Amino acid sequence: MPEINQNDAVKFFFTLAFLTATAVSFPSSPDRFLRSAPSTYLRSTDEPQEYEELRRPLPSDQLTPSCSHVLLRHSFANTIDGPPFTARYTPPSDCTTPPWSYVVLDLRAASSGDQYDRISGLWLGGVELLRTSTAEPSPSGIFWNVRKDVTRYSSLFMRTDLNVTMMLENIVNDVYTGIYHINVTLNFYKFNPIASNLEVNSRLGFLESQRSDQTPADLIIPVCDGGNRGFWFMIDNPTETYSKRIQIPSNTRQIVLELYVSFHGNDEFWYSNPPNSYISTNNLATGRSNGAYREVFVKIDGRYVGSEVPFPVIFTGGINPLFWEPVVAIGAFNLPSYDMDLTPFLGLLLDGKSHEFALGVNDGISYWLVDANLHLWLDHGSSNVEAGSRLYDSPSRHMVREEEFEQLDGSFRVEAEVHSEYDGWVRSSKDNLTTMVKSIFKVGSLVRFEENGTYKRVEQRVQTKRIVEVTSESGIPVNRVMYQRTYPLTVITSTRRGLTNDKDTYMLLTNISHALNETHSDGEALTQVYNRQDSEGWMEVEDHNVLAGESSTRQSLSYINEFSCYSRTIIAANGEITQDSSSDSCTSSSSSELDRLSSVS
Ligand SMILES: *[C@@H]1O[C@H](CO)[C@@H](O)[C@H](O)[C@H]1NC(C)=O
Ligand SMILES: *[C@@H]1O[C@H](CO)[C@@H](O)[C@H](O)[C@H]1NC(C)=O
Ligand SMILES: *[C@@H]1O[C@H](CO)[C@@H](O)[C@H](O)[C@H]1NC(C)=O
Ligand SMILES: *[C@@H]1O[C@H](CO)[C@@H](O)[C@H](O)[C@H]1NC(C)=O
Ligand SMILES: *[C@@H]1O[C@H](CO)[C@@H](O)[C@H](O)[C@H]1NC(C)=O
Ligand SMILES: *[C@@H]1O[C@H](CO)[C@@H](O)[C@H](O)[C@H]1NC(C)=O
């Protein structure tokens, strides 16, 4: 039984419809809230509740690993302003030797009490393996499990000179009581994918490894900070440089940069920030500024080599925390990383000198946590690889910003389109291959305020496409890989007077709809993942504490490739799962969808 009386809540809900004209003196803004004890729906048992992020099953889910290796066990209590947790990494001794067909990182977390969501990074030798965030606990306790395919980091797992590091800054005092207990294990699998009838080679997913098409890199070098406060760069303004000088081995034949990013503080909801003119004209006391457009960029020696508009992950305290129990938002437990193939730049990098790899955020304000891993494939037949960058074009950029407002009402639009194309050859002991990397992204963003700023509508559409084409010296196509992603987001927040007429409380009515649609093709092999969440509800808030509310979230996830299909639909209402169905049969509509996709690609 929910603690709040449902009938009363519904009654209040309707009464409120007549109170809309009540001006609230601040504009609605997505914010971060604490789902505090009084608001927690009292469940029929006081058993700890399981939280989850919907994901596609991994091929290894039903298999017993060849060996399991504990990476860390730690309880994160009052860790604020402290150094990260660090321990010596020892490679698994009871495992048969590599190569492993599959390595899965298994994180188990538990917490009880009151606590905000917290961000966390896990690194091995400074190489980030997982960016995750925590769920806000309840007094009776919650727990969850994150499983991530980490096969692409295999070259690290046999090394004896590395530390494992986990950063999770938490506050424990009289008010915030939740301690996060974390266990991380690596599971190593050795199986023959054909014999076990599992298509390991198509374990793609935005939220999993993206370069399943090839064997893990020989070497991984982090582009990261010193590690005293975690290995991420903490970016809090758009002008400073956050960089590291790195020397690339002279027999590198392929290089892919993997970017990890999360946003916090005044930029946690960057996609909803109004421009500074709106804030200053209305004299608003908010730091959530600089407009609603951000790009995380990568530079080598001061030249732009790529950028990403990140997927807007919403943490469990975000916008309306009741939406995210017990099913969290897309990516909240396993934030996406973004791959950029930098092979066309080897012509600049293979000169035996160190080069400056810089990361930054256009218009970014406090604060972003950003780092990257360089995955390097080496030429085992030579100590020197020759390379040339044939073509260097800086991106073509088209951007329009429109703003129109009167007092607290108005609308702000951003339309951006960025194209870039790079091309370079690499002559290894085996062959001379030319890699062409083409990327396009389009972003449309709208932030609109109505009703004296008490109603806010945020819409964002991001579309990205990246094509990597490899051709032989004689011009014959060797491989073509394409990643295409769209992520639409709509957030509507309406601020009303509180239920109790208490001037310190207010009511927020919120709708969120967001999705992640990705298509990946590698030669003829095609995969599509579609993941969507729609949430609606209200909450009564005092300061940042949720006092009461109702919520429902519906999510559907579908996955199709040429071997298999998977789909799952789940509905969570008022903290409980009310519907959950899944299927792994390929309906005719899913295969025709795939046919349609093949014909476009
Ligand atoms: C972590 O492992 C220890 C030892 O096996 C176990 O007692 C504890 O419950 C585990 N914690 C979590 C969060 O799974
Ligand atoms: C690993 O951590 C220990 C203890 O914090 C530190 O003394 C050592 O220098 C670290 N080693 C590496 C390779 O970072
Ligand atoms: C907006 O505020 C003005 C003046 O404060 C008031 O007259 C008007 O009724 C308000 N409009 C709405 C839709 O709340
Ligand atoms: C490799 O191939 C490219 C284009 O196909 C050519 O321009 C380049 O000179 C070749 N490099 C070597 C070392 O043969
Ligand atoms: C949220 O969505 C529901 C159902 O689609 C709709 O009735 C309601 O008006 C929406 N709320 C807001 C604040 O737009
Ligand atoms: C997902 O993206 C693909 C490729 O752009 C597109 O064909 C498809 O219609 C999209 N699916 C949905 C449900 O939006």
Side-chain angles (χ1 to χ4, degrees):
M1 272 298 290
E3 187 180 68
I4 52 160
N5 181 307
Q6 296 274 351
N7 290 333
D8 283 353
V10 170
K11 195 170 71 204
F12 276 124
F13 194 87
F14 285 113
T15 316
L16 260 152
F18 300 103
L19 294 174
T20 44
T22 318
V24 179
S25 60
F26 52 89
S28 330
S29 200
D31 211 331
R32 187 165 184 239
F33 298 96
L34 183 67
R35 185 196 61 161
S36 55
S39 80
T40 308
Y41 306 104
L42 281 188
R43 299 168 59 246
S44 43
T45 71
D46 15 333
E47 290 285 296
Q49 188 181 17
E50 178 161 13
Y51 274 51
E52 76 170 306
E53 178 183 336
L54 250 59
R55 62 170 180 85
R56 166 181 177 253
L58 295 179
S60 57
D61 282 355
Q62 295 89 17
L63 300 172
T64 312
S66 307
C67 81
S68 283
H69 189 59
V70 175
L71 205 52
L72 68 89
R73 280 196 189 122
H74 192 67
S75 293
F76 293 86
N78 196 41
T79 47
I80 181 100
D81 295 329
F85 168 81
T86 300
R88 190 102 213 143
Y89 173 74
T90 47
S93 53
D94 52 345
C95 266
T96 41
T97 48
W100 300 289
S101 45
Y102 212 62
V103 187
V104 173
L105 183 148
D106 183 294
L107 178 146
R108 285 169 200 269
S111 184
S112 59
D114 282 339
Q115 195 54 266
Y116 270 108
D117 63 82
R118 304 292 178 195
I119 189 69
S120 178
L122 176 70
W123 297 268
L124 186 56
V127 170
E128 186 154 358
L129 303 182
L130 173 73
R131 181 76 57 97
T132 186
S133 71
T134 64
E136 295 191 345
S138 65
S140 53
I142 65 166
F143 65 97
W144 68 94
N145 174 221
V146 184
R147 261 176 282 174
K148 179 179 179 181
D149 173 3
V150 291
T151 315
R152 69 186 309 195
Y153 307 101
S154 290
S155 68
L156 301 172
F157 301 137
M158 282 315 286
R159 284 176 58 174
T160 53
D161 58 338
L162 304 177
N163 281 344
V164 55
T165 305
M166 189 164 188
M167 186 76 175
L168 195 166
E169 279 190 280
N170 192 23
I171 297 175
V172 172
N173 57 26
D174 296 345
V175 182
Y176 307 117
T177 52
I179 294 172
Y180 288 107
H181 304 282
I182 311 275
N183 290 354
V184 184
T185 307
L186 287 177
N187 290 327
F188 295 87
Y189 297 86
K190 249 185 189 286
F191 55 81
N192 180 335
I194 293 154
S196 53
N197 198 21
L198 288 161
E199 22 75 44
V200 250
N201 285 326
S202 47
R203 59 186 131 83
L204 163 104
F206 186 96
L207 308 174
E208 294 167 30
S209 158
Q210 290 165 21
R211 291 193 65 93
S212 47
D213 50 303
Q214 61 183 193
T215 51
D218 298 300
L219 184 66
I220 309 175
I221 304 178
V223 181
C224 64
D225 206 4
N228 295 339
R229 309 278 296 126
F231 286 94
W232 43 40
F233 292 111
M234 186 165 172
I235 299 183
D236 54 16
N237 71 68
T239 50
E240 229 176 293
T241 318
Y242 303 87
S243 66
K244 189 176 167 187
R245 294 200 72 86
I246 292 169
Q247 191 180 332
I248 302 299
S250 53
N251 61 340
T252 303
R253 58 177 178 85
Q254 190 180 357
I255 174 169
V256 171
L257 180 140
E258 179 192 22
L259 186 71
Y260 275 94
V261 47
S262 57
F263 20 89
H264 310 278
N266 286 330
D267 256 355
E268 179 171 344
F269 308 100
W270 55 271
Y271 42 84
S272 78
N273 286 12
N276 300 349
S277 53
Y278 175 82
I279 295 168
S280 57
T281 306
N282 289 301
N283 237 336
L284 302 176
T286 177
R288 302 212 154 137
S289 57
N290 262 16
Y293 184 78
R294 302 286 182 275
E295 236 177 82
V296 184
F297 60 83
V298 181
K299 288 182 173 178
I300 300 178
D301 299 333
R303 300 164 198 253
Y304 171 98
V305 298
S307 59
E308 284 286 349
V309 174
F311 175 75
V313 176
I314 302 167
F315 303 122
T316 57
I319 307 178
N320 181 337
L322 306 179
F323 290 171
W324 319 123
E325 48 177 79
V327 177
V328 302
I330 300 169
F333 283 161
N334 185 0
L335 276 81
S337 64
Y338 306 82
D339 282 0
M340 294 179 196
D341 197 318
L342 300 182
T343 309
F345 298 98
L346 282 177
L348 311 170
L349 297 169
L350 296 184
D351 57 0
K353 302 197 177 97
S354 72
H355 293 271
E356 185 191 50
F357 285 80
L359 305 173
V361 183
N362 281 346
D363 291 340
I365 50 177
S366 187
Y367 61 97
W368 289 64
L369 298 172
V370 184
D371 60 29
N373 302 324
L374 295 175
H375 294 255
L376 308 179
W377 286 263
L378 307 177
D379 181 358
H380 297 292
S382 155
S383 57
N384 262 302
V385 161
E386 248 186 290
S389 296
R390 251 205 331 204
L391 180 149
Y392 184 81
D393 256 351
S394 47
S396 90
R397 206 170 256 290
H398 177 72
M399 188 149 170
V400 182
R401 290 182 194 255
E402 276 172 15
E403 61 177 68
E404 189 188 337
F405 67 95
E406 206 181 328
Q407 295 178 331
L408 288 166
D409 289 349
S411 61
F412 310 96
R413 283 175 196 279
V414 183
E415 302 285 337
E417 194 166 332
V418 181
H419 292 242
S420 61
E421 194 171 326
Y422 305 110
D423 187 330
W425 57 263
V426 177
R427 154 116 235 150
S428 68
S429 58
K430 222 167 82 206
D431 44 26
N432 177 6
L433 299 177
T434 296
T435 304
M436 194 270 302
V437 178
K438 204 195 268 187
S439 78
I440 304 164
F441 62 85
K442 293 184 197 172
V443 182
S445 151
L446 167 74
V447 175
R448 195 200 342 257
F449 294 99
E450 293 170 19
E451 297 172 19
N452 286 342
T454 62
Y455 173 92
K456 183 176 187 179
R457 183 179 181 92
V458 175
E459 275 180 56
Q460 188 185 247
R461 302 277 172 275
V462 180
Q463 234 184 309
T464 71
K465 189 171 183 173
R466 185 162 272 139
I467 299 166
V468 179
E469 258 169 17
V470 180
T471 43
S472 74
E473 199 165 3
S474 47
I476 296 165
V478 174
N479 196 22
R480 184 177 193 271
V481 177
M482 189 218 20
Y483 304 100
Q484 200 172 328
R485 299 176 192 133
T486 49
Y487 24 102
L489 167 74
T490 303
V491 181
I492 298 166
T493 2
S494 179
T495 311
R496 312 278 173 86
R497 200 164 71 191
L499 292 174
T500 54
N501 276 331
D502 179 337
K503 67 175 173 30
D504 293 331
T505 72
Y506 58 97
M507 171 101 143
L508 276 172
L509 275 65
T510 310
N511 284 2
I512 301 180
S513 168
H514 70 157
L516 175 58
N517 175 9
E518 40 169 354
T519 307
H520 168 251
S521 68
D522 183 350
E524 297 287 295
L526 197 67
T527 306
Q528 201 201 347
V529 187
Y530 186 69
N531 198 355
R532 176 184 173 124
Q533 279 178 321
D534 294 283
S535 306
E536 61 177 297
W538 61 272
M539 60 177 181
E540 166 99 351
V541 169
E542 180 174 15
D543 187 19
H544 281 235
N545 295 321
V546 179
L547 305 178
E550 283 183 298
S551 69
S552 84
T553 294
R554 180 194 155 90
Q555 181 167 11
S556 56
L557 167 70
S558 65
Y559 176 99
I560 318 171
N561 68 11
E562 68 266 49
F563 306 108
S564 65
C565 303
Y566 173 77
S567 67
R568 183 168 171 200
T569 299
I570 195 162
I571 298 176
N574 300 331
E576 301 278 359
I577 290 172
T578 56
Q579 200 180 309
D580 187 355
S581 56
S582 63
S583 156
D584 53 12
S585 70
C586 296
T587 60
S588 57
S589 74
S590 47
S591 44
S592 66
E593 166 81 345
L594 200 63
D595 286 346
R596 202 181 51 71
L597 285 167
S598 333
S599 60
V600 241
S601 71

